[in-house]
Amino acid sequence: MRVIEHIPEMQTWSETEQRAGRRIVLVPTMGALHEGHLSLVREGKKSGARLVVSLFINPAQFAPNEDLAAYPSDFEGDRDLLEKEKVDVLFHPTSTEIYPAGYQTYVEVEKLAPLLCGEFRPGHFRGVVTVVAKLFNIVRPQAAVFGAKDYQQLQLIRRMTRDLNFDIEIVGCPTVRDKDGLALSSRNRYLSREERAAALSLSRSLKRAESMVEEGERESRRIIHAVRAEIQREPLARIDYARICDPETLVEVAKIQGGGAVLALAVRVGGTRLIDNTMLKT
Ligand code: AMP
């Protein structure tokens, strides 16, 4: 596996591969890799493509009061995992490589970005979408793989890719969970034992919602009531939001109808903010 730190080297590598007629797939990450990330890598490898994993803790998506400085990182551990997965390139730029002095251009996804997490993390998605657009230009992949765990992010990236005419297939992968249901996340490393137990209320509440829908419930209000009650049983958990939304526009819906709806949660457990979601299908 080649480790590339500089943009021109990354672009030259991609150009050579494209000229040889090979397909390139990109998996963007912020490192501290777990099985969720590795599921994206395996999906990307399926087509026999050349696989690039980027590892970049993107300062533009953290507000000054957020956990940028504390964000978990383990470069050697990540490199070993990716080597074992037979990744072709680990792209690992510095912040100044991506945002050199004088940098001032950002991508805004007007309607989707301020919703859900955007309401609680203003500017977050502007940072996410900007870095993904830059990675698309740097790596020039034919496809890029993202996790449905970050459902809003996946929808924003699909929108941006269409809106900016990137000729890139966006592949979404299902959320990978621990055996007890907790969605894998780099931030789970912050949780104490008690907090981890309280964090299980997220997946439990999603399951509760799924069974209500299976039993015929269609009213968002009633489902949300049950979801909130499940989470609020944990004194360590504080809900940022629990909403049922249209799967594409992310606008809240009062009823679950034909195309289904996404139930999205953001919950603080102790000092750690966790997100999870499920698709409610009729
Ligand atoms: P991150 O390093 O947290 O920015 O995540 C990088 C990519 O991994 C994103 O596309 C995430 O949606 C995806 N991802 C993170 N956690 C999971 C998970 N538990 N299951 C599937 N994909 C995930």
Side-chain angles (χ1 to χ4, degrees):
M1 182 177 71
R2 187 154 153 192
V3 179
I4 296 181
E5 291 179 349
H6 298 291
I7 292 169
E9 189 185 345
M10 187 66 248
Q11 284 172 325
T12 307
W13 181 90
S14 288
E15 225 168 86
T16 311
E17 292 297 320
Q18 316 268 17
R19 274 218 210 92
R22 285 192 278 265
R23 176 178 161 90
I24 298 172
V25 176
L26 169 67
V27 177
T29 82
M30 298 208 298
L33 301 179
H34 50 64
E35 279 295 317
H37 297 111
L38 298 183
S39 74
L40 310 186
V41 167
R42 288 167 199 149
E43 177 63 37
K45 269 265 161 196
K46 263 190 194 163
S47 58
R50 302 291 253 162
L51 200 85
V52 179
V53 174
S54 61
L55 195 171
F56 179 61
I57 303 177
N58 176 31
Q61 69 189 67
F62 291 82
N65 63 331
E66 292 182 344
D67 58 345
L68 173 62
Y71 196 83
S73 87
D74 174 13
F75 180 75
E76 276 78 32
D78 289 349
R79 192 187 50 202
D80 291 350
L81 283 174
L82 296 174
E83 193 105 51
K84 284 200 195 97
E85 295 293 330
K86 304 212 174 345
V87 166
D88 295 288
V89 173
L90 169 54
F91 179 53
H92 181 51
T94 59
S95 286
T96 44
E97 185 80 12
I98 297 294
Y99 303 112
Y103 189 88
Q104 51 187 289
T105 304
Y106 294 88
V107 182
E108 300 272 3
V109 182
E110 278 185 352
K111 292 203 175 102
L112 293 176
L115 302 171
L116 301 174
C117 283
E119 198 181 310
F120 295 84
R121 305 184 69 188
H124 169 65
F125 287 117
R126 172 188 196 249
V128 170
V129 174
T130 298
V131 84
V132 171
K134 284 173 68 71
L135 288 168
F136 284 178
N137 281 324
I138 294 165
V139 179
R140 306 272 169 98
Q142 276 71 54
V145 190
F146 297 87
K149 148 96 172 16
D150 300 88
Y151 186 85
Q152 184 175 13
Q153 170 175 289
L154 176 59
Q155 289 311 115
L156 269 123
I157 288 165
R158 287 192 195 284
R159 188 73 254 168
M160 175 277 284
T161 304
R162 280 203 295 271
D163 288 353
L164 296 185
N165 308 101
F166 281 108
D167 189 11
I168 297 173
E169 179 195 354
I170 305 300
V171 179
C173 284
T175 301
V176 177
R177 299 176 181 280
D178 264 337
K179 280 196 203 77
D180 57 10
L182 184 67
L184 298 186
S185 162
S186 306
R187 288 190 169 97
N188 291 352
R189 298 179 188 207
Y190 299 147
L191 299 171
S192 68
R193 216 157 50 88
E194 293 73 22
E195 288 168 345
R196 198 185 176 292
L200 292 177
S201 62
L202 277 83
S203 52
R204 253 198 327 264
S205 74
L206 297 180
K207 285 268 165 252
R208 172 99 180 85
E210 286 164 8
S211 12
M212 287 176 80
V213 174
E214 263 166 43
E215 285 156 20
E217 183 59 78
R218 296 290 179 268
E219 291 285 334
S220 299
R221 194 172 42 84
R222 282 204 282 268
I223 299 167
I224 291 297
H225 183 78
V227 164
R228 296 186 75 95
E230 182 69 51
I231 299 168
Q232 281 161 349
R233 277 169 44 194
E234 293 292 347
L236 290 175
R238 294 270 174 282
I239 301 172
D240 268 1
Y241 65 77
R243 291 182 194 151
I244 295 178
C245 304
D246 177 276
E248 259 196 48
T249 64
L250 304 181
V251 171
E252 275 189 272
V253 294
K255 264 187 197 298
I256 300 159
Q257 282 163 332
V262 63
L263 164 56
L265 305 176
V267 178
R268 289 170 197 276
V269 181
T272 307
R273 188 172 186 278
L274 301 173
I275 57 172
D276 205 344
N277 69 81
T278 189
M279 194 63 84
L280 298 174
K281 295 205 181 83
T282 55

